[in-house]
Amino acid sequence: MNILNIITVPDPLLKTVSVPVTVVDDELRAFMDDMLTTMYAAPGIGLAAIQVGRPIRVLVMDIADEDAEKKPQYFINPEVTWTSDELTTFNEGCLSVPDQYADIDRPAECKLTYLDYHGNPQNVHATGLFATCIQHEIDHLNGIVFIDYLSSLKKTIAIRKVKKLIKED
Ligand code: GNR
Ligand code: NI
């Protein structure tokens, strides 16, 4: 299990449109396990492969309560097949935009197809925090970070704060 380096804005890699996975093998599973270890260590509730510099359509998530049992979830090549008209607002954060938060509107529910840890096709109807988080992660696969939804002024301020934070480390 390795903790990988999480890249932060304004790293141009975060704008990459990630490519679909063609083979689900032990190498990919080992990488997804490292992603999960990295996410738990951060700590975060989701992580897309591009956030650790690898442009493939893979994400991991665990939205279980901190004190509850861990519930790791792996999504390979996720595709949104339906979104609700109803929106919901969530105060989002991102490991690639450390310490910055903003209210973001997204469809309250969505359905998706994906491949699981073993490469088997699955589908799921996501609601609540699951729906918000998976849409945030799928945005990463498409080169989108939540601050892209903010005004250019708010986005510039957020990036400046992250740069300052990184420099002080
Ligand atoms: O840890 C995270 N928390 C979070 C909170 C609200 C909405 C989305 C997220 S995902 C984020 C981890 C991350 O950056 N994933 O890409
Ligand atoms: Ni994020």
Side-chain angles (χ1 to χ4, degrees):
M1 299 293 193
N2 304 299
I3 294 183
L4 309 171
N5 183 50
I6 298 176
I7 61 174
T8 53
V9 290
D11 191 320
L13 261 184
L14 288 166
K15 295 192 192 294
T16 311
V17 177
S18 294
V19 300
V21 166
T22 53
V23 208
V24 179
D25 57 9
D26 287 346
E27 187 280 326
L28 182 71
R29 280 185 282 271
F31 172 65
M32 293 192 295
D33 289 339
D34 286 345
M35 283 179 63
L36 203 65
T37 303
T38 304
M39 183 194 81
Y40 286 137
I45 58 172
L47 190 71
I50 193 62
Q51 293 181 272
V52 291
R54 197 161 159 189
I56 58 173
R57 302 186 79 82
V58 167
L59 60 94
V60 298
M61 198 181 297
D62 189 337
I63 54 166
D65 284 340
E66 265 177 68
D67 42 330
E69 209 181 308
K70 285 190 173 21
K71 267 196 201 149
Q73 292 186 278
Y74 306 82
F75 299 87
I76 302 163
N77 299 343
E79 283 190 49
V80 176
T81 56
W82 172 84
T83 55
S84 62
D85 292 336
E86 188 202 343
L87 303 181
T88 190
T89 307
F90 199 91
N91 192 247
E92 296 196 15
C94 181
L95 295 173
S96 296
V97 196
D99 286 3
Q100 313 305 311
Y101 300 89
D103 283 349
I104 305 294
D105 296 335
R106 298 184 187 273
E109 302 183 14
C110 63
K111 289 183 182 174
L112 47 133
T113 61
Y114 62 99
L115 302 179
D116 66 16
Y117 193 74
H118 304 287
N120 297 319
Q122 304 288 349
N123 57 84
V124 70
H125 181 169
T127 65
L129 179 59
F130 181 28
T132 295
C133 189
I134 196 107
Q135 291 175 77
H136 172 117
E137 301 312 336
I138 290 172
D139 270 357
H140 279 303
L141 305 187
N142 294 324
I144 296 164
V145 179
F146 83 96
I147 56 171
D148 293 337
Y149 296 117
L150 305 179
S151 69
S152 62
L153 177 61
K154 283 187 173 158
K155 183 174 167 179
T156 302
I157 291 170
I159 292 172
R160 191 191 304 143
K161 286 180 174 166
V162 171
K163 281 182 180 166
K164 183 156 179 266
L165 203 71
I166 302 295
K167 216 187 296 167
E168 284 166 356
D169 266 355

